[in-house]
């Protein structure tokens, strides 16, 4: 893992998922190979940009070392130390774009006024700052165009109002426990 000052570079933020989990194996089964996604995004971004990849804290020690070595071979990919920043907000705020298979980082980005790309049909994908994509010939153009999109502020307020009106209260603490518990 690397320690980098993210405010000095242009980058797309790509947090890794817990594998296996339902958001990847059920919601987006065609894009479960995160290495393929990282390689595809790597070929589709501007020459002056990087991809900042952050391991999920609960996956530390579960992926083999060669997994990380393969990612680090890409010249525009930075495998950042997942313990170097306290909260995802630090990664998201400086990013040009957030990329996730189906993770909540896209929703977090929307709440912070940043755009995201997802590879699955997610509930919060109805927000215009979150765009569903595929690995195909259009990926480079979509990345370029979506970085500059500005979601109307009232859209996020309307989304939050819907959640408050129709959502259910959930004890999130139980969902944040490590997989072993």
């Amino acid at each position: 893992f690397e320690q980098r000052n993210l405010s000095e570079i242009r980058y797309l933020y790509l947090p890794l998922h817990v594998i296996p989990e339902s958001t990847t194996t059920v919601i987006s089964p065609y894009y479960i190979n995160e290495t393929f996604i990282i390689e595809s995004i790597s070929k589709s971004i501007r020459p002056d940009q990087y991809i900042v990849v952050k391991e999920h804290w609960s996956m530390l020690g579960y992926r083999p070392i060669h997994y990380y070595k393969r990612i680090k071979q890409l010249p525009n990919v930075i495998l950042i130390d997942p313990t170097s920043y306290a909260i995802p907000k630090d990664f998201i705020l400086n990013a040009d774009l957030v990329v996730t298979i189906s993770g909540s980082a896209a929703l977090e980005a929307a709440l912070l006024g940043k755009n995201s790309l997802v590879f699955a049909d997610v509930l919060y994908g109805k927000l215009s700052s979150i765009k569903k994509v595929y690995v195909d010939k259009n990926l480079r153009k979509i990345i370029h165009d979506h970085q500059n999109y500005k979601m109307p502020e009232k859209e996020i307020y309307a989304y939050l109002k819907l959640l408050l009106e129709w959502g259910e209260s959930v004890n999130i603490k139980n969902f944040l426990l490590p997989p072993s518990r």
Side-chain angles (χ1 to χ4, degrees), residues 4-52:
R4 291 290 287 262
N5 184 348
L6 299 180
S7 64
E8 295 176 353
I9 61 171
R10 298 197 60 163
Y11 66 91
L12 279 64
Y13 170 54
L14 198 153
L16 297 176
H17 285 262
V18 173
I19 301 288
E21 74 175 354
S22 63
T23 60
T24 51
T25 55
V26 176
I27 296 174
S28 54
Y30 298 112
Y31 289 103
I32 197 165
N33 184 342
E34 290 176 299
T35 307
F36 171 71
I37 290 172
I38 294 167
E39 291 170 344
S40 300
I41 297 291
S42 172
K43 296 172 188 173
S44 302
I45 62 175
R46 295 173 15 180
D48 65 337
Q49 287 180 312
Y50 293 88
I51 302 170
V52 170

Side-chain angles (χ1 to χ4, degrees), residues 88-174:
K89 177 183 173 187
D90 298 326
F91 293 104
I92 294 169
L93 283 178
N94 289 318
D96 294 333
L97 195 63
V98 173
V99 180
T100 181
I101 297 173
S102 55
S104 62
L107 177 58
E108 294 163 5
L111 293 171
L112 292 169
K114 292 289 183 171
N115 297 332
S116 299
L117 302 178
V118 296
F119 290 86
D121 292 316
V122 292
L123 181 62
Y124 41 85
K126 298 298 182 194
L127 293 168
S128 63
S129 68
I130 301 172
K131 185 165 190 64
K132 182 179 178 185
V133 294
Y134 306 91
V135 174
D136 63 15
K137 64 180 180 165
N138 301 313
L139 187 57
R140 180 184 305 267
K141 181 173 178 6
I142 290 169
I143 289 172
H144 175 269
D145 293 348
H146 200 56
Q147 289 179 81
N148 301 316
Y149 175 76
K150 182 70 175 152
M151 178 177 68
E153 194 172 299
K154 66 181 181 180
E155 188 177 324
I156 195 72
Y157 290 115
Y159 183 78
L160 292 172
K161 184 178 177 186
L162 280 171
L163 288 179
L164 288 171
E165 188 174 333
W166 295 97
E168 289 290 328
S169 181
V170 175
N171 183 355
I172 195 82
K173 182 179 176 186
N174 294 334

